[in-house]
Amino acid sequence: MIKKSDNCIAPERRKEIIELIRKEVKPALGCTEPIAVALAVAKSAEAACCGGNRQELLSRPDSKIKVAVSGNILKNGMGVGIPGTGMVGLHIASALGAVCGKSEYGLEVLKDLGTDTIEEAKRLTEEGKVEILLAQTEKKLYVEASVTAGGHTAMTKIEDDHDHITEVTLDGKPLHQASAKDDKGTNEAAEGKTTLDYRLTVKEIYDFATTVPYDEISFILESRKLNLALAEDGLKHSYGLKVGRTILDSKLKPIFGDDFLSFAMAMTAAASDARMAGCTLPAMSNSGSGNQGITVTMPVIAYSLKNNTDDETLARALTLSHLVAIHIKGYLGKLSALCGCVIASTGSSCGLVLLNGGGYEEICSSIKNMIGNITGMVCDGAKVGCAMKVASGVSSSIQSAVLALNGISATEHDGIIDKDIEKTIRNVGRIGSIGMQRADNMILDIMVCK
């Protein structure tokens, strides 16, 4: 049974927090870095083709696609599978965005892809019509995509968020401009606000998740629908490194066992296996990351499957899990050198604590245990191998939750842990966004020079 807070959140504040959830928790088809590129290219192609037949116009000799991206977009787009294609990388993602992408779909920009459009996109890449460059920018998340077709050239910029279009031009004339911190696709109240502008704390997140009327957060169960479907598909097919399938392989039970830990690791890893290898099912993302959305939710969903948890209880745990990850990610930025599964696993650890009757103190302990354990796991690009990191994160998540529920917590005498939970979270943010910058640059250098 969930231990509820004694503090109810005022209706207006609840509305603000739900606004943040809806802004940061949304469906995404494919890894969000190449998808951001596909979205920018799709927007440019729509503008350049002026309503004409895109495939016909793009097939002309003078057509071309030129995309400049930040280092972190390049790093996360080099080795990840693009849905439905059996290919990896930004070239095919760009070509698909041009041929069949619809910008109105946001992070599901490629959901209308089919056999014909995939073949056409492959032809564009084979003919050398797609060029990918490293942009000269300090921004972690930046895409500038130009498409020349039918005698016109259109350019689209995406900055700061994966679906945040800040500028569109046609033949040099502006069609759309927005502030670099405007939030595309959200309501007016959310415009210009970053996660930190919502001034969340772990205490308020706990109060909200345990007292908000269920009908205001029932939409969060869409996370279960999408991410569970990905996990089941990952277990059914031989995607990527088959991490999830291997953990649940009956022949390996003497090694992995048949307990909740193995089940949660396998379900979460299987969803990542499928997504990173190009599965055509969407994930429910968190803070612009599908893998983070999977890791935030699947251990909690796995627990609910094993224990027949009712929908309201699950919704409250998922809300807590999502919000903790969003809160921590706010100090890191959308992309960093720190692996997102560290943040996501911390969220799921809190959700597991709540499902097992833990309260605010135990939730703080689980966060400290997580930060004291796997902080420093680097992001070396999106790829099928991410499923292994996801599995490791889930293992740490469950371990941290169990320790917290038994009154065991890392303390202020342990490394970067502070007695104050908010200072502890800010410490992680400093390490990931500032301290690991040199490591981030070195990782990219190694990857592009192989």
Side-chain angles (χ1 to χ4, degrees):
M1 180 180 292
I2 284 182
K3 183 177 180 181
K4 292 195 173 184
S5 169
D6 295 328
N7 301 316
C8 293
I9 305 295
E12 282 304 308
R13 182 57 173 163
R14 294 203 309 265
K15 183 179 178 182
E16 280 189 317
I17 295 172
I18 290 169
E19 170 189 285
L20 174 62
I21 296 172
R22 289 192 178 277
K23 185 166 80 76
E24 299 293 348
V25 178
K26 59 185 71 171
L29 175 59
C31 178
T32 47
E33 280 70 57
I35 289 302
V37 170
L39 176 59
V41 174
K43 189 70 174 179
S44 291
E46 289 166 353
C49 293
C50 304
N53 185 301
R54 275 200 257 170
Q55 293 188 42
E56 178 185 329
L57 294 172
L58 289 166
S59 67
R60 295 181 181 178
D62 62 340
S63 67
K64 61 181 178 180
I65 302 163
K66 185 177 180 180
V67 184
V69 298
S70 58
N72 286 74
I73 292 286
L74 182 64
K75 180 179 76 173
N76 283 340
M78 291 172 63
V80 68
I82 307 303
T85 66
M87 299 175 67
V88 301
L90 298 180
H91 285 80
I92 187 63
S94 300
L96 281 170
V99 172
C100 66
K102 290 186 179 178
S103 63
E104 65 192 83
Y105 294 159
L107 295 180
E108 294 183 276
V109 60
L110 298 182
K111 72 178 182 179
D112 284 348
L113 62 81
T115 302
D116 291 345
T117 52
I118 290 172
E119 290 305 311
E120 179 66 16
K122 288 180 178 179
R123 186 185 63 77
L124 289 178
T125 62
E126 290 166 359
E127 292 178 355
K129 290 192 173 185
V130 182
E131 183 180 8
I132 306 295
L133 304 170
L134 184 62
Q136 299 303 307
T137 178
E138 295 297 317
K139 287 184 175 288
K140 298 289 187 183
L141 200 165
Y142 181 87
V143 180
E144 182 177 322
S146 295
V147 173
T148 298
H152 297 285
T153 297
M155 184 278 297
T156 299
K157 286 184 184 178
I158 286 179
E159 301 176 77
D160 302 321
D161 284 322
H162 293 80
D163 57 352
H164 177 205
I165 295 173
T166 58
E167 184 179 353
V168 182
T169 65
L170 178 61
D171 298 327
K173 297 178 181 180
L175 297 180
H176 167 81
Q177 285 187 311
S179 134
K181 289 191 177 180
D182 181 14
D183 293 298
K184 175 191 174 297
T186 61
N187 60 40
E188 291 182 3
E191 286 188 6
K193 294 172 74 172
T194 68
T195 297
L196 296 182
D197 290 330
Y198 287 84
R199 307 176 311 282
L200 284 177
T201 65
V202 175
K203 181 61 169 66
E204 186 178 39
I205 291 170
Y206 169 68
D207 291 344
F208 174 83
T210 59
T211 63
V212 62
Y214 169 56
D215 63 342
E216 294 183 17
I217 57 167
S218 59
F219 68 89
I220 207 71
L221 293 176
E222 186 72 8
S223 297
R224 174 180 60 185
K225 177 183 175 182
L226 296 188
N227 293 344
L228 183 56
L230 262 176
E232 290 171 343
D233 198 54
L235 291 174
K236 183 178 179 181
H237 299 101
S238 296
Y239 286 112
L241 299 183
K242 299 176 283 189
V243 178
R245 281 169 62 96
T246 301
I247 293 172
L248 283 190
D249 191 325
S250 59
K251 299 191 297 295
L252 298 175
K253 280 187 179 180
I255 298 172
F256 288 112
D258 191 24
D259 54 16
F260 170 66
L261 175 62
S262 293
F263 180 67
M265 288 172 63
M267 293 294 285
T268 312
S272 180
D273 281 324
R275 177 177 177 271
M276 304 312 280
C279 173
T280 55
L281 296 175
M284 184 62 79
S285 68
N286 178 292
S287 303
S289 167
N291 259 358
Q292 184 164 308
I294 288 167
T295 311
V296 155
T297 59
M298 279 312 303
V300 178
I301 294 166
Y303 183 90
S304 75
L305 293 173
K306 285 287 190 181
N307 294 276
N308 297 313
T309 305
D310 65 86
D311 283 355
E312 179 176 346
T313 300
L314 175 60
R316 294 188 184 281
L318 288 173
T319 297
L320 176 73
S321 183
H322 272 299
L323 278 171
V324 167
I326 291 167
H327 178 44
I328 300 174
K329 192 71 171 176
Y331 290 97
L332 280 164
K334 296 295 183 186
L335 299 174
S336 75
L338 192 67
C339 177
C341 87
V342 173
I343 310 306
S345 300
T346 302
S348 62
S349 186
C350 295
L352 291 170
V353 167
L354 192 68
L355 286 176
N356 283 276
Y360 172 67
E361 293 301 326
E362 290 80 12
I363 286 166
C364 290
S365 293
S366 71
I367 294 172
K368 291 180 180 180
N369 290 340
M370 285 294 298
I371 291 173
N373 186 355
I374 59 174
T375 295
M377 182 185 289
V378 298
C379 172
D380 56 343
K383 57 202 176 302
V384 293
C386 288
M388 292 192 291
K389 294 187 178 184
V390 164
S392 297
V394 174
S395 175
S396 180
S397 169
I398 296 170
Q399 179 189 111
S400 296
V402 170
L403 290 172
L405 289 164
N406 282 275
I408 301 169
S409 174
T411 71
E412 62 270 26
H413 304 294
D414 299 322
I416 64 170
I417 308 299
D418 194 284
K419 187 173 183 179
D420 184 299
I421 190 62
E422 299 304 327
K423 288 183 180 178
T424 301
I425 289 170
R426 288 196 293 272
N427 289 344
V428 173
R430 288 175 60 201
I431 289 170
S433 63
I434 302 171
M436 295 178 70
Q437 182 58 56
R438 186 176 178 184
D440 205 20
N441 295 336
M442 186 176 293
I443 290 166
L444 181 60
D445 287 343
I446 291 170
M447 289 176 66
V448 299
C449 293
K450 286 193 294 184

